[in-house]
Amino acid sequence: MHRLDKDTSGLLLVARTLESQIALAAALERRDIKRTYRALCQGVLTGGGTVDAPIGRHRRERTKMAVVEGGRAARTHYRVVERFRAHTHIEVELETGRTHQIRVHLAHIRAPLLGDPVYGGRPRLPPAPSDELRAALQSFGRQALHACRLAFEHPTRHEQLVFESPLPADFEHLLALLREDAATR
């Protein structure tokens, strides 16, 4: 029901019965399922905001998505959790759910996800980073994106459910190195 891009960590939503699948699909369409992510983007964002830009297939690279005129409506809300010298830890909420939406929207505002091999480009480094931070940023093996929270109404019991997943160790380690770097400058 709720899928994750390859190399994104976190929560998945799976329906166990056809009845549940139909109800959850309807809830997704109505935007009644709240999906929250944590991300580490390149660049320093000054504040939160909303990216409201249509997404469709990239005109030349058909395996990629892009912000395109005439694409499907897509809206992503984000808020700053923590700022570092060359990166920003953000919380992201999806209002819509397009393919690669967070990745495409963050790249569109010139704050691509760290480690994103498709939309992220080369890792950006803060000025004069420690050897450990440089190595960690350059070798982070996936996009720094984690589905941390799902909230929805149970499809048959009609009770509100909330599931949370802590950040994985690789993400936490990177944040600790960035905090250390910011504190020493």
Side-chain angles (χ1 to χ4, degrees), residues 98-161:
R98 306 295 175 229
T99 301
H100 300 172
Q101 180 173 322
I102 294 171
R103 298 164 64 195
V104 169
H105 274 172
L106 290 176
H108 179 69
I109 63 169
R110 293 182 169 77
L113 289 176
L114 175 75
D116 188 336
V118 178
Y119 305 101
R122 292 186 324 192
R124 295 183 198 164
L125 301 173
S130 69
D131 291 341
E132 186 179 14
L133 178 59
R134 176 189 307 274
L137 289 169
Q138 290 177 335
S139 67
F140 197 74
R142 62 182 186 87
Q143 62 260 6
L145 183 61
H146 178 73
C148 64
R149 189 170 193 267
L150 279 173
F152 59 96
E153 183 179 288
H154 189 281
T156 57
R157 295 192 311 260
H158 304 291
E159 63 183 295
Q160 192 64 25
L161 300 175

Side-chain angles (χ1 to χ4, degrees), residues 7 11-13 23 31 34 39 42 46 55 59 61-62 69 74 92 98 100 115 132 140 142 144 177 180 183-185:
D7 294 329
L11 298 167
L12 293 172
L13 179 57
R31 300 180 181 155
K34 188 172 180 180
Q42 302 192 81
T46 57
I55 293 178
R59 287 185 177 89
E61 298 177 59
R62 303 304 290 168
E69 222 175 281
V92 180
R98 306 295 175 229
H100 300 172
E132 186 179 14
F140 197 74
R142 62 182 186 87
L177 290 174
E180 182 181 303
T184 59
R185 306 294 180 212

Side-chain angles (χ1 to χ4, degrees), residues 9-72:
S9 58
L11 298 167
L12 293 172
L13 179 57
V14 179
R16 291 181 56 197
T17 66
L18 181 57
E19 177 187 8
S20 292
Q21 181 183 5
I22 292 167
L24 289 169
L28 265 174
E29 195 166 319
R30 289 190 313 270
R31 300 180 181 155
D32 289 342
I33 297 177
K34 188 172 180 180
R35 298 163 289 169
T36 307
Y37 295 77
R38 287 295 179 97
L40 184 62
C41 61
Q42 302 192 81
V44 181
L45 297 173
T46 57
T50 297
V51 182
D52 189 355
I55 293 178
R57 288 269 169 221
H58 192 282
R59 287 185 177 89
R60 289 182 306 278
E61 298 177 59
R62 303 304 290 168
T63 58
K64 288 175 70 171
M65 305 302 284
V67 169
V68 294
E69 222 175 281
R72 294 180 71 194

